[in-house]
Amino acid sequence: MADEEKKTTLTDKEAEGQKIRVFEAWCKKCGICVAFCPTGALTSNEDGLPILTYPEKCTLCGMCELRCPDFAIAVKAKEKEEK
Amino acid sequence: MADEEKKTTLTDKEAEGQKIRVFEAWCKKCGICVAFCPTGALTSNEDGLPILTYPEKCTLCGMCELRCPDFAIAVKAKEKEEK
Amino acid sequence: MRTATDQKERLLQGNQACAEGALASGARLFAGYPITPSTEIAEFLARQLPKVGGKFIQMEDEIASIAAVIGASVTGLKSMTATSGPGFSLMQEHIGYAYMAEVPCVIVDVQRGGPSTGLPTKVAQSDTMQVRWGTHGDYYAIALAPSSVEECFELTIRAFNLSEKYRTPVIVLMDEVVGHMREKIKLPDPGEIKVINRMKPTVPPEWYQHFEINPHFVSPMASFGEGYRFNITGLTHNPEGFPTDRPEVIREKLDKLKNKICHNVSDIVQVREEFMEDANVAVFAYGIVARAAGQAIRMAREKRMRVGLIQPLTIWPFPDEYIERILEQLDLIIVAELNQGQLIGEVMRVVRGKTRVRGLFRYDSELITPDQIFDKIREEK
Amino acid sequence: MRTATDQKERLLQGNQACAEGALASGARLFAGYPITPSTEIAEFLARQLPKVGGKFIQMEDEIASIAAVIGASVTGLKSMTATSGPGFSLMQEHIGYAYMAEVPCVIVDVQRGGPSTGLPTKVAQSDTMQVRWGTHGDYYAIALAPSSVEECFELTIRAFNLSEKYRTPVIVLMDEVVGHMREKIKLPDPGEIKVINRMKPTVPPEWYQHFEINPHFVSPMASFGEGYRFNITGLTHNPEGFPTDRPEVIREKLDKLKNKICHNVSDIVQVREEFMEDANVAVFAYGIVARAAGQAIRMAREKRMRVGLIQPLTIWPFPDEYIERILEQLDLIIVAELNQGQLIGEVMRVVRGKTRVRGLFRYDSELITPDQIFDKIREEK
Amino acid sequence: MELIPKVTHHYLRTKKKFPNVWCAGCGIGIVMGAIIRAIDKLKLSRDEVVMVSGIGCSSRMPVYVDFNTLHTTHGRPLAFATGVKLAKPSLKVIVITGDGDALAIGGNHFIHACRRNIDLTCILVNNQTYGMTGGQFSPSTPFMKIGTTAPYGNRERAFDISKLAIASGAPFVARGTAYHVVQLEKLVEQATLKKGFSLVEVISHCPTLYGRLNKEGDAVEMLKWQRGHAIPISAAGKVPPEKLRDKFLTGVLWDIEFPEYCEEYDKVIAEAQRRD
Amino acid sequence: MELIPKVTHHYLRTKKKFPNVWCAGCGIGIVMGAIIRAIDKLKLSRDEVVMVSGIGCSSRMPVYVDFNTLHTTHGRPLAFATGVKLAKPSLKVIVITGDGDALAIGGNHFIHACRRNIDLTCILVNNQTYGMTGGQFSPSTPFMKIGTTAPYGNRERAFDISKLAIASGAPFVARGTAYHVVQLEKLVEQATLKKGFSLVEVISHCPTLYGRLNKEGDAVEMLKWQRGHAIPISAAGKVPPEKLRDKFLTGVLWDIEFPEYCEEYDKVIAEAQRRD
Amino acid sequence: MDKTKKSIETDDRYEIRLSGSGGQGMVLAGMILAEAVGINDGKNVVQTQSYGPEARGGASRSDVVVSSKEIFYPKTIKLDLLLCLTQEACDTYYQALKEDGVLIVDSGLVTQLPAREVHAFPFTQLARERIGTPVVANIIALGTIASLTKIVTKKGLLEVVQRRAPKGTEEKNLQALEIGFELARKKRARKSH
Amino acid sequence: MDKTKKSIETDDRYEIRLSGSGGQGMVLAGMILAEAVGINDGKNVVQTQSYGPEARGGASRSDVVVSSKEIFYPKTIKLDLLLCLTQEACDTYYQALKEDGVLIVDSGLVTQLPAREVHAFPFTQLARERIGTPVVANIIALGTIASLTKIVTKKGLLEVVQRRAPKGTEEKNLQALEIGFELARKKRARKSH
Ligand SMILES: Cc1ncc(C[n+]2csc(CCOP(=O)(O)OP(=O)(O)O)c2C)c(N)n1
Ligand SMILES: Cc1ncc(C[n+]2csc(CCOP(=O)(O)OP(=O)(O)O)c2C)c(N)n1
Ligand code: SF4
Ligand code: SF4
Ligand code: SF4
Ligand code: SF4
Ligand code: SF4
Ligand code: SF4
Ligand SMILES: [Mg+2]
Ligand SMILES: [Mg+2]
């Protein structure tokens, strides 16, 4: 059930292939992920929503995901990347 | 008023001239005064009531009075003795 | 935010009017613990009390709050606290202490939905019976219930006055809507307000009995530090304040607690009535529900129905006498409450079957509306 | 001191019989805080519970005690606490939580003189109304009141059974004399005792709703750690246990709390009656006062007066129906209580003026005697 | 597989419960993530975890996680949790509480849980204010800071929570921050593994109330403050004392062994049955 | 002048109140004597002294002394006393409490009074049991000692009361015994003079219950135990550590300065009136 | 028994709801409106608000009942005017509006409009663009209300905003109010075309 | 409605009070007496006690009501037998004794006797002298009651004392009981002279 739930809430074709994904419905635009991204890969759009403006900078370190208070940002697993 | 009270409760001609006085009505015969008299001047009678059996040993140190939990034993003031 | 002191009329929240009433009564200590929907009373007094040399303290919980209030009152300050259901439940032991030790103080209960944590931000009137029976043992409560911002102000003053006059805790029983709504109010000049202070002893300290038995059932009250060195205890005590186990002294004490309330009901009980002269139907409602009822009876009157409003400003002691007096003329009493039926039991007790009594209860977090009351009148008539 | 297990009949204190009743019902956790005159229940269970693999814990206060009881109950243990007035007042917030969260548990209140610290070692019945109205918000209480050592045992078992059956706290309302007196009692064999356990869910975890709405008003109850991962809260909640602010869900919840009691009064309410077949006068008395009344009515019968005894074993819900039924035949009901008049209000509410109701109140720390009741009967007849 | 926060989402009650109630940037959500990851790392089954909380913003956490959850009354979660643990000692009982919940109204249960040493894991979200009721000062609000009930500055001192826990008898006491989220996850893990009462005090932030009233900026600013003021206890010796003055230590502050209550009680049962 | 205990009787409510309720040899009466003498020494007028207590054997003390006396509820005397002091800071407020009163049900008020640092003098009679209710174990009953509710031995640890008070913020903490009555008098005197919250923990004895249940002998024996186990803090350095193990320190354990609450509140008043 | 009121007529109520989400200042706007109407314009007024189950976040609304007579029932029953600053607020409350009631929305945030006459203005966008902060959107909306309806005078609003605005923000707030007055004037003009 | 008792007769009560001060074991004596009468002799019995306002010290009393019928009212009304081990107890309770009731006192401790027939024995002195401890005075007194009246059988008392005495003290207690039996026998003998 929980899994079905996740699918309906989170599945998004567009996310495929991306390093980072933001769930707009949950994101409160607090700016934490952007402020503390160690590489500056993220920026905020004018509404405050985080955008991976510099995907090449992203090291998949996961800090944005770990610090997001709203479970609203996900980082692709490193292993997958390496495959 | 408090003073009147004291008189009716405590005045006792017999106490005059004594070094120690025990108020029987308040004494619970716990034996503390006797046990910790530094000179052994006090003993208990068979009911447990403290008696100044050896008045000559009493140094008027006051410990019996200080340790009595029932305010039931009084030691003559040293100054008075010295007068 | 500056307050509009330059103007006569102000737009105040019920909670704020209650706090203003406390200041106007001379309250000089507030001890409390925040809880929705009463918190504004504390916040306002935290700001205002020091301005008049009074003191605000936030205690570690509600139990400590009412304890500090009692401690301050016996030391001479008019004192109060404010809370809501969960905090009011926690205060019960100490409210009982205040009854027993006959300590004047005011406790405001801004009611929200219950039981338990319930609905912190929603309106209810479900602490009504708790005010009367919440602590263990026999006691007699005074509780006043405002229905408007103006009444919040006035009844808080009255609460302090009754409290000082009868040496007893008084409860101001508000609710979330009354506490949070804003209305216009003209605060009177301090000189216009009747303030009653506790009676002080006139006898010398040696003769003084803190719990003296006298024909008025209220003993003059010295404060700590004034040269009277008395004892106060929550154990059942004799007039001097020392614990007793003598049956006749015990009875005398409990009779005193009862009689100072029961022999003074005509002074304590206030009922606000509307259109009752010729009414054969009455809506009985207090607090915020009386506001809906006020509108409903006007709707009924427009339809030429002889309906009136009985709004008890004093909930406890319950207005037995008023109801008994008005009973003859009534065919029907509708008791409207924001609970599952609490005061209706009291009404039924007093009515003793002589008139039909019907309840209109709402407890889903919404107000009873004028329409609902009007429909109920039509349906039951 | 060894217990006389070799013998069938034993001389037990009321408090001890209450504790034995708890053990016999399968209670396996006691959390409490000592207070006269209830302490023997804790002391006895501190010794006995570990013998049957149960647990006793002395908490830091009464608030924590009832909290631990609730925590243990939702984790599957039958749990209880015991206290007296001051502790009972402190427990009020959490008793409300137990009503709201529908947690079975038993709370014993061994009454002493109040209000406040009052008379710790003296008898009273002045927490009677508090049991019904002590916590904030709407709720419906079950309270049972024994008058003998045997009834202490039986009604404690019944308290656990009702508590489990209806998923609700149940109060055993004793008093100092009942708690401390010793009488003979034959404890039944475990096999003879009817023990009810809470209903368990039969649906798979995904379908399970801890607060399911169903026609019985009682939801099956899973415990923590059994594979059902539900939420419990004191906030008003939906059937799944999550906070809600939807009026219809709120109403449904509060109706459920009410209906599970009110639709089952015939199962819950027990009244013990004596000589009521032809009685035109009834003495209404509970607990220890029923014992004096038992003697008094026999004195009256010897004088050929048609007097009977109504002894509610269930105080709450109040036996409305029984009284209504018996009303016709009665000219007079004498309500005898060890307080300033509490249950008499309930009797009057139900009687609705159809019969004379008179009170015999004593609150000076002594018992009402058979003579006093007999005299009252003669005087009022 | 779609891109979702790797671990946490599996433990969330996503259905209708999100977005959560917390304000934008509030630290509580960060703490919740760390707790979930710690539990996941420990491979605890969801059925054997009970999360108990009091009342407050932080105490709203249990609603969101798919464990056995018990949202109790203000200040008393440790007392409820004591009953839960006693009834079934095999359960992992995690208590979520706030500085007001645990230390104001709940202070007594806090010191007694420490003293009694019953195996509970207490995560205390210390945001230095009563968030839920609108920003009043709390027993951990620093001297002279502003609260809605301290408009002229708070005249009370803050508890040193960890010191209080140690003095009360807690065998495991740690401090972390919302900022140091990786460390926090480890601290929660260690605390959960500890047999006996364990406390993790988490320095968190309430931008909406405390931050605004005290002009400490938004969530990002407040997290930066945490970064700048936390000194790992391992490094404390190397920092000159004058630099420590307005800082606080993080990491495991105290870790001793003492008999756990439930285990002791098993001995009581054995002894009682032996004597019988 | 007749021979009466020199100082104490002048302060007693002798009328009908004596003999007192305490059991033969109970330490509470000894503590009361020391308090009276300290007050006498300080030349405080009886009118300016308020004695506040909770419920318990020790808390019965106010009934006997001719001050302003307030016998409150179980566990809460410090909260009542806070109100008394705030209302009239010129009064000397002395709180009498027991180990159960102050640390079981009253633990929260205790730590908060320490933290808040309001000028109260708290005399805590620690007899390691609930005397009044018949000898149940208390939060200061040592591990494995017997109480009526710990028939198989107490499985909880005792608080180190003084340590708890210091950790909670109390600026003055002392420990004495009923046996060392002269020292006790001095400690009470110092505590009373201290501006701010002061605690004197008095190790006392309950021969009737604790003594009997634990076979520790009568009052005399128990006083001897105190004599044998108290180490003055001044001498602590000279005692080898292994000898300190089962002993306890006496004397002034902690004495620091910190702004007192009532004085701080006067600043609040000044500030509020300035802004107005 | 001392306070008897005799008027039979029910009040000529005008019911207003200001709705949006947590940070949009709906409660403050309600207070300002109520004070302007009640204290400055001298009518009777009651202002109430509804708190969600949560203390913060989520929907926020503030209701104002205005009447020249005594107001008994303090809450709104059927709205004469509804302001919505979020889509959610509009969806939730729009049924409570009378048939001939006035609906005002933030055109930037409320995009799915109900099938009825709507006054839509970009309050938030204007606040951001012209004052530099979105927080004064509520004040702009108040100005619009004053200008679209007769329920509150501009003078009253101006006085209250002057009195209530936190120190240092008076200027911005008055500016916002002016923008609001202006907006509706333009709209009215447009309509008359 | 399930438990109806039908007997009309009131009980043939016999009311006993054992009184003294805190440490004299009156409650224990009451329990032993009640158990002997109730369990071993098979009569109905209720034992109650009265606690002073203080937990310890002061007067102590234990009441036992015995009947062959059901006992309704559990407390004593008018005493058939009163045992007093202190002067204070005697002064306080002696009025509660029926005209023809039995009064038994400790002759060493109760010196001012009321003007009526009294059975006076030196219980405490005997306990001290013959058993070596005053604490068994209560048991001696119980023996005396058994022997002076028919309210409890010696056999019953013996059995209960055996069962209830703390380990290691059985001997002393049985000895004390025997002394009590003896005492009254002598007294009776004396009387018959
Ligand atoms: C008995 C009781 N008193 C008061 C409240 C009101 N209340 C709810 S939460 C809270 C403070 C919460 O502070 P904290 O524990 O620090 O949590 P935060 O919201 O800061 O996370 C208060 C005072 C209550 N719910 N119950
Ligand atoms: C609310 C409440 N709970 C419990 C009690 C019962 N009670 C009275 S005194 C006491 C313990 C006293 O212990 P302590 O404070 O150590 O005093 P002591 O008698 O040992 O001097 C208890 C549990 C009470 N009076 N009120
Ligand atoms: S941290 Fe989370 S909530 Fe905050 S902006 Fe980034 S994704 Fe959004
Ligand atoms: S994963 Fe790391 S580098 Fe990539 S966006 Fe997130 S914080 Fe920045
Ligand atoms: S110490 Fe006091 S009570 Fe004890 S025996 Fe001596 S005089 Fe009597
Ligand atoms: S005064 Fe000193 S020496 Fe004299 S009897 Fe007392 S204790 Fe002994
Ligand atoms: S009020 Fe503060 S603590 Fe509460 S959710 Fe908002 S930011 Fe977090
Ligand atoms: S019971 Fe213990 S503490 Fe209480 S008076 Fe007796 S000896 Fe003292
Ligand atoms: Mg907080
Ligand atoms: Mg103690």
Side-chain angles (χ1 to χ4, degrees), chain H residues 82-128:
Chain H
L82 172 64
L83 169 73
C84 303
L85 296 197
T86 64
Q87 183 67 49
E88 196 192 341
C90 186
D91 298 348
T92 315
Y93 299 130
Y94 121 77
Q95 287 103 323
L97 190 61
K98 284 182 188 162
E99 291 241 332
D100 59 348
V102 180
L103 176 62
I104 307 175
V105 304
D106 186 309
S107 55
L109 301 170
V110 183
T111 47
Q112 299 191 317
L113 296 173
R116 60 177 297 155
E117 200 189 342
V118 182
H119 303 266
F121 307 97
F123 300 118
T124 310
Q125 189 191 329
L126 286 168
R128 199 162 20 218

Side-chain angles (χ1 to χ4, degrees), chain C residues 129 133, chain D residues 88 99 127-134 139-145 158 162 169-171 173 261 265 268-270 286 312-320 337 342-347 349-350:
Chain C
M129 292 299 281
W133 300 109
Chain D
F88 195 62
Y99 284 115
D127 307 353
T128 313
M129 292 300 281
Q130 186 193 21
V131 167
R132 174 67 188 88
W133 300 110
Y139 67 106
Y140 290 81
I142 300 179
L144 312 180
R158 191 154 195 269
L162 290 172
V170 174
I171 316 294
L173 193 61
I261 307 299
V265 281
I268 300 167
V269 172
Q270 281 190 339
Y286 86 85
L313 295 172
T314 311
I315 305 289
W316 303 112
F318 193 73
D320 286 35
E337 313 182 61
Q342 297 201 359
L343 279 185
I344 193 173
E346 293 299 296
V347 175
R349 177 181 55 75
V350 178

Side-chain angles (χ1 to χ4, degrees), chain B residues 35-36, chain F residues 177 179-180 222-231 248:
Chain B
F36 297 107
Chain F
T177 79
Y179 176 82
H180 300 92
M222 294 181 87
L223 281 163
K224 284 183 184 158
W225 183 90
Q226 289 169 24
R227 182 174 61 189
H229 289 73
I231 309 275
F248 56 88

Side-chain angles (χ1 to χ4, degrees), chain H residues 45-67:
Chain H
V45 69
V46 188
Q47 184 267 332
T48 59
Q49 55 241 313
S50 165
Y51 300 83
E54 328 296 358
R56 283 150 307 285
S60 162
R61 80 180 202 223
S62 174
D63 289 4
V64 180
V65 177
V66 182
S67 176

Side-chain angles (χ1 to χ4, degrees), chain A residues 5-6 10-11 18 21 23 25-26 28 30-32 35-36 65-67 69-71 73-76 80, chain E residues 2-6 8-10 14-15 18 20 22 24-26 29-30 32 37 179 181 220 223 227:
Chain A
E5 203 46 50
K6 261 174 273 143
L10 305 173
T11 302
Q18 302 273 316
R21 182 172 176 226
F23 310 102
W26 290 13
K28 296 200 185 117
C30 66
I32 290 175
F36 298 105
E65 179 180 321
L66 295 185
R67 279 214 191 82
D70 287 282
F71 309 91
I73 187 164
V75 180
K76 200 168 189 170
K80 278 199 174 176
Chain E
E2 68 285 270
L3 206 53
I4 57 163
K6 283 178 278 294
T8 45
H9 275 223
H10 296 278
T14 43
K15 197 176 167 189
F18 284 82
N20 60 47
W22 299 308
C26 175
I30 307 180
M32 176 165 135
R37 286 187 298 271
Y179 177 82
V181 65
V220 169
L223 280 164
R227 181 173 62 190

Side-chain angles (χ1 to χ4, degrees), chain F residues 5 7 35 44 54 82 106 123 131 139 185 191 205 229 259:
Chain F
V7 167
I35 294 172
L44 294 171
T82 299
I123 316 288
E185 191 183 314
H205 52 285
H229 289 73

Side-chain angles (χ1 to χ4, degrees), chain H residues 105-170:
Chain H
V105 304
D106 186 309
S107 55
L109 301 170
V110 183
T111 47
Q112 299 191 317
L113 296 173
R116 60 177 297 155
E117 200 189 342
V118 182
H119 303 266
F121 307 97
F123 300 118
T124 310
Q125 189 191 329
L126 286 168
R128 199 162 20 218
E129 289 174 2
R130 306 219 351 225
I131 323 264
T133 163
V135 297
V136 291
N138 58 350
I139 304 294
I140 302 182
L142 282 185
T144 309
I145 290 173
S147 164
L148 270 181
T149 72
K150 298 217 145 52
I151 200 63
V152 61
T153 64
K154 292 184 182 173
K155 182 165 165 289
L157 271 184
L158 276 168
E159 284 170 10
V160 177
V161 166
Q162 239 155 349
R163 195 161 62 226
R164 287 274 174 226
K167 253 185 211 145
T169 71
E170 294 92 341

Side-chain angles (χ1 to χ4, degrees), chain F residues 21-23 26-28 57 127 131-132 205-209, chain H residues 56:
Chain F
V21 281
W22 298 309
C23 304
C26 175
I28 300 169
C57 292
N127 58 8
M132 181 63 110
H205 52 285
C206 167
T208 305
L209 301 164
Chain H
R56 283 150 307 285

